Short mmCIF file of all heavy atoms in Angstrom, two decimals:
data_model
loop_
_atom_site.label_atom_id
_atom_site.label_comp_id
_atom_site.label_asym_id
_atom_site.label_seq_id
_atom_site.Cartn_x
_atom_site.Cartn_y
_atom_site.Cartn_z
N LEU A 3 -11.29 -4.66 -3.29
CA LEU A 3 -10.05 -4.87 -2.56
C LEU A 3 -8.89 -4.49 -3.46
O LEU A 3 -8.80 -4.96 -4.60
CB LEU A 3 -9.91 -6.34 -2.15
CG LEU A 3 -8.58 -6.76 -1.52
CD1 LEU A 3 -8.41 -6.10 -0.14
CD2 LEU A 3 -8.49 -8.28 -1.39
N VAL A 4 -8.01 -3.61 -2.99
CA VAL A 4 -6.81 -3.21 -3.72
C VAL A 4 -5.60 -3.87 -3.07
O VAL A 4 -5.41 -3.76 -1.86
CB VAL A 4 -6.61 -1.68 -3.71
CG1 VAL A 4 -5.37 -1.30 -4.51
CG2 VAL A 4 -7.83 -0.98 -4.26
N VAL A 5 -4.79 -4.55 -3.89
CA VAL A 5 -3.60 -5.23 -3.38
C VAL A 5 -2.38 -4.70 -4.13
O VAL A 5 -2.34 -4.74 -5.36
CB VAL A 5 -3.70 -6.76 -3.57
CG1 VAL A 5 -2.48 -7.45 -2.96
CG2 VAL A 5 -4.99 -7.31 -2.97
N GLY A 6 -1.39 -4.20 -3.40
CA GLY A 6 -0.19 -3.69 -4.04
C GLY A 6 0.94 -3.51 -3.08
O GLY A 6 0.77 -3.64 -1.86
N ASP A 7 2.12 -3.19 -3.62
CA ASP A 7 3.33 -3.11 -2.79
C ASP A 7 3.75 -1.68 -2.47
O ASP A 7 4.72 -1.48 -1.73
CB ASP A 7 4.49 -3.84 -3.48
CG ASP A 7 4.98 -3.10 -4.71
OD1 ASP A 7 4.15 -2.84 -5.61
OD2 ASP A 7 6.18 -2.79 -4.78
N ARG A 8 3.06 -0.68 -3.04
CA ARG A 8 3.47 0.70 -2.81
C ARG A 8 2.40 1.46 -2.03
O ARG A 8 1.21 1.45 -2.40
CB ARG A 8 3.75 1.41 -4.12
CG ARG A 8 4.93 0.84 -4.87
CD ARG A 8 5.27 1.67 -6.10
NE ARG A 8 5.81 2.97 -5.73
CZ ARG A 8 6.93 3.49 -6.27
NH1 ARG A 8 7.60 2.82 -7.19
NH2 ARG A 8 7.35 4.67 -5.90
N LEU A 9 2.83 2.13 -0.98
CA LEU A 9 1.91 2.91 -0.18
C LEU A 9 1.40 4.13 -0.92
O LEU A 9 0.21 4.46 -0.87
CB LEU A 9 2.60 3.36 1.11
CG LEU A 9 2.91 2.26 2.13
CD1 LEU A 9 3.92 2.77 3.15
CD2 LEU A 9 1.64 1.78 2.82
N ASP A 10 2.30 4.82 -1.65
CA ASP A 10 1.96 6.10 -2.25
C ASP A 10 1.17 5.98 -3.54
O ASP A 10 0.65 6.98 -4.04
CB ASP A 10 3.21 6.94 -2.48
CG ASP A 10 4.24 6.25 -3.37
OD1 ASP A 10 4.10 5.04 -3.62
OD2 ASP A 10 5.19 6.93 -3.81
N THR A 11 1.05 4.79 -4.09
CA THR A 11 0.26 4.62 -5.31
C THR A 11 -0.87 3.62 -5.09
O THR A 11 -2.04 3.97 -5.14
CB THR A 11 1.14 4.18 -6.49
OG1 THR A 11 1.86 2.98 -6.15
CG2 THR A 11 2.12 5.27 -6.85
N ASP A 12 -0.53 2.37 -4.79
CA ASP A 12 -1.56 1.33 -4.66
C ASP A 12 -2.48 1.58 -3.46
O ASP A 12 -3.71 1.63 -3.61
CB ASP A 12 -0.89 -0.04 -4.52
CG ASP A 12 0.04 -0.35 -5.66
OD1 ASP A 12 -0.37 -0.18 -6.82
OD2 ASP A 12 1.19 -0.75 -5.40
N VAL A 13 -1.88 1.72 -2.29
CA VAL A 13 -2.69 1.92 -1.08
C VAL A 13 -3.38 3.28 -1.11
O VAL A 13 -4.55 3.40 -0.75
CB VAL A 13 -1.83 1.75 0.18
CG1 VAL A 13 -2.64 2.08 1.43
CG2 VAL A 13 -1.30 0.31 0.28
N ALA A 14 -2.67 4.30 -1.56
CA ALA A 14 -3.28 5.64 -1.63
C ALA A 14 -4.46 5.65 -2.59
O ALA A 14 -5.47 6.32 -2.34
CB ALA A 14 -2.24 6.67 -2.05
N LEU A 15 -4.36 4.92 -3.70
CA LEU A 15 -5.48 4.83 -4.64
C LEU A 15 -6.72 4.32 -3.94
O LEU A 15 -7.80 4.91 -4.03
CB LEU A 15 -5.11 3.89 -5.79
CG LEU A 15 -6.24 3.58 -6.78
CD1 LEU A 15 -6.31 4.65 -7.86
CD2 LEU A 15 -6.06 2.20 -7.42
N GLY A 16 -6.58 3.20 -3.24
CA GLY A 16 -7.72 2.61 -2.56
C GLY A 16 -8.23 3.46 -1.43
O GLY A 16 -9.44 3.61 -1.23
N GLU A 17 -7.32 4.04 -0.66
CA GLU A 17 -7.70 4.86 0.48
C GLU A 17 -8.53 6.06 0.04
O GLU A 17 -9.57 6.38 0.64
CB GLU A 17 -6.43 5.32 1.20
CG GLU A 17 -6.66 6.12 2.46
CD GLU A 17 -5.35 6.49 3.12
OE1 GLU A 17 -4.70 7.45 2.65
OE2 GLU A 17 -4.96 5.82 4.09
N ARG A 18 -8.10 6.72 -1.03
CA ARG A 18 -8.81 7.92 -1.50
C ARG A 18 -10.18 7.59 -2.08
O ARG A 18 -11.10 8.40 -2.00
CB ARG A 18 -7.97 8.62 -2.56
CG ARG A 18 -6.66 9.19 -2.05
CD ARG A 18 -5.86 9.81 -3.18
NE ARG A 18 -4.56 10.30 -2.75
CZ ARG A 18 -3.68 10.89 -3.54
NH1 ARG A 18 -3.98 11.10 -4.82
NH2 ARG A 18 -2.53 11.30 -3.07
N ALA A 19 -10.29 6.40 -2.67
CA ALA A 19 -11.54 6.04 -3.34
C ALA A 19 -12.50 5.26 -2.45
O ALA A 19 -13.60 4.91 -2.89
CB ALA A 19 -11.23 5.21 -4.59
N GLY A 20 -12.12 4.98 -1.22
CA GLY A 20 -13.00 4.25 -0.31
C GLY A 20 -12.99 2.75 -0.51
O GLY A 20 -13.95 2.07 -0.16
N MET A 21 -11.90 2.22 -1.04
CA MET A 21 -11.74 0.78 -1.20
C MET A 21 -11.00 0.20 0.01
O MET A 21 -10.39 0.92 0.79
CB MET A 21 -10.94 0.47 -2.47
CG MET A 21 -11.47 1.13 -3.74
SD MET A 21 -10.34 0.86 -5.13
CE MET A 21 -10.99 2.03 -6.33
N THR A 22 -11.05 -1.11 0.15
CA THR A 22 -10.25 -1.79 1.16
C THR A 22 -8.86 -2.02 0.59
O THR A 22 -8.71 -2.41 -0.57
CB THR A 22 -10.89 -3.14 1.54
OG1 THR A 22 -12.20 -2.90 2.06
CG2 THR A 22 -10.06 -3.86 2.60
N THR A 23 -7.84 -1.78 1.40
CA THR A 23 -6.47 -1.86 0.90
C THR A 23 -5.66 -2.93 1.61
O THR A 23 -5.79 -3.12 2.82
CB THR A 23 -5.75 -0.51 1.06
OG1 THR A 23 -5.74 -0.14 2.46
CG2 THR A 23 -6.46 0.58 0.27
N ALA A 24 -4.82 -3.62 0.84
CA ALA A 24 -3.91 -4.63 1.39
C ALA A 24 -2.52 -4.37 0.82
O ALA A 24 -2.32 -4.41 -0.39
CB ALA A 24 -4.38 -6.03 1.04
N LEU A 25 -1.57 -4.11 1.71
CA LEU A 25 -0.18 -3.92 1.31
C LEU A 25 0.55 -5.25 1.36
O LEU A 25 0.44 -5.98 2.35
CB LEU A 25 0.51 -2.94 2.25
CG LEU A 25 2.00 -2.72 2.02
CD1 LEU A 25 2.23 -1.85 0.79
CD2 LEU A 25 2.66 -2.10 3.25
N VAL A 26 1.30 -5.57 0.31
CA VAL A 26 2.16 -6.76 0.33
C VAL A 26 3.61 -6.32 0.50
O VAL A 26 4.02 -5.27 0.01
CB VAL A 26 1.99 -7.62 -0.94
CG1 VAL A 26 0.59 -8.20 -1.01
CG2 VAL A 26 2.29 -6.81 -2.20
N LEU A 27 4.39 -7.14 1.21
CA LEU A 27 5.76 -6.78 1.56
C LEU A 27 6.77 -7.45 0.64
O LEU A 27 7.88 -7.79 1.06
CB LEU A 27 6.03 -7.16 3.01
CG LEU A 27 5.11 -6.50 4.03
CD1 LEU A 27 5.37 -7.04 5.43
CD2 LEU A 27 5.28 -4.98 4.01
N THR A 28 6.38 -7.62 -0.62
CA THR A 28 7.26 -8.30 -1.58
C THR A 28 7.87 -7.34 -2.60
O THR A 28 8.52 -7.78 -3.54
CB THR A 28 6.47 -9.38 -2.34
OG1 THR A 28 5.26 -8.80 -2.86
CG2 THR A 28 6.13 -10.53 -1.42
N GLY A 29 7.65 -6.04 -2.41
CA GLY A 29 8.13 -5.08 -3.39
C GLY A 29 8.81 -3.89 -2.77
O GLY A 29 9.82 -4.02 -2.06
N SER A 30 8.24 -2.70 -2.96
CA SER A 30 8.90 -1.45 -2.60
C SER A 30 8.81 -1.09 -1.13
O SER A 30 9.56 -0.22 -0.67
CB SER A 30 8.31 -0.30 -3.43
OG SER A 30 8.52 -0.51 -4.80
N THR A 31 7.91 -1.71 -0.38
CA THR A 31 7.66 -1.30 1.00
C THR A 31 8.03 -2.39 1.98
O THR A 31 7.61 -3.54 1.82
CB THR A 31 6.18 -0.93 1.19
OG1 THR A 31 5.78 0.02 0.19
CG2 THR A 31 5.94 -0.33 2.56
N ASP A 32 8.81 -2.03 3.00
CA ASP A 32 9.09 -2.96 4.09
C ASP A 32 8.43 -2.45 5.36
O ASP A 32 7.80 -1.39 5.37
CB ASP A 32 10.60 -3.16 4.29
CG ASP A 32 11.33 -1.85 4.55
OD1 ASP A 32 10.69 -0.86 4.98
OD2 ASP A 32 12.56 -1.81 4.34
N ARG A 33 8.57 -3.19 6.44
CA ARG A 33 7.86 -2.81 7.67
C ARG A 33 8.39 -1.50 8.24
O ARG A 33 7.64 -0.74 8.87
CB ARG A 33 7.94 -3.93 8.69
CG ARG A 33 7.13 -5.16 8.27
CD ARG A 33 6.91 -6.15 9.40
NE ARG A 33 6.15 -7.31 8.94
CZ ARG A 33 4.82 -7.36 8.88
NH1 ARG A 33 4.11 -6.30 9.28
NH2 ARG A 33 4.20 -8.44 8.47
N ALA A 34 9.67 -1.19 8.05
CA ALA A 34 10.22 0.06 8.56
C ALA A 34 9.61 1.26 7.84
O ALA A 34 9.21 2.25 8.48
CB ALA A 34 11.73 0.06 8.40
N SER A 35 9.52 1.19 6.51
CA SER A 35 8.93 2.31 5.77
C SER A 35 7.43 2.40 6.01
O SER A 35 6.85 3.49 6.01
CB SER A 35 9.22 2.18 4.27
OG SER A 35 8.84 0.93 3.77
N LEU A 36 6.78 1.27 6.26
CA LEU A 36 5.36 1.28 6.61
C LEU A 36 5.15 2.01 7.93
O LEU A 36 4.25 2.85 8.07
CB LEU A 36 4.83 -0.15 6.71
CG LEU A 36 3.42 -0.33 7.26
CD1 LEU A 36 2.39 0.40 6.41
CD2 LEU A 36 3.07 -1.82 7.36
N ALA A 37 6.00 1.73 8.92
CA ALA A 37 5.86 2.35 10.23
C ALA A 37 6.09 3.86 10.17
O ALA A 37 5.51 4.61 10.96
CB ALA A 37 6.85 1.72 11.21
N ALA A 38 6.90 4.30 9.21
CA ALA A 38 7.22 5.73 9.10
C ALA A 38 6.22 6.49 8.23
O ALA A 38 6.30 7.72 8.14
CB ALA A 38 8.63 5.89 8.53
#
């Protein structure tokens, strides 16, 4: 399980490697940027 606040680094890391990803909304990403 990968947990992080950035889509382009934390979530992308897990997505590319076949891990489960969890985005937290306490840092660089809010729901508007997630939707986009």
Side-chain angles (χ1 to χ4, degrees):
L3 173 67
V4 181
V5 183
D7 70 304
R8 295 186 69 132
L9 291 164
D10 58 347
T11 56
D12 304 311
V13 175
L15 174 85
E17 183 178 79
R18 294 177 184 181
M21 308 173 193
T22 301
T23 59
L25 176 75
V26 294
L27 301 175
T28 51
S30 298
T31 308
D32 57 22
R33 291 194 181 275
S35 53
L36 171 60

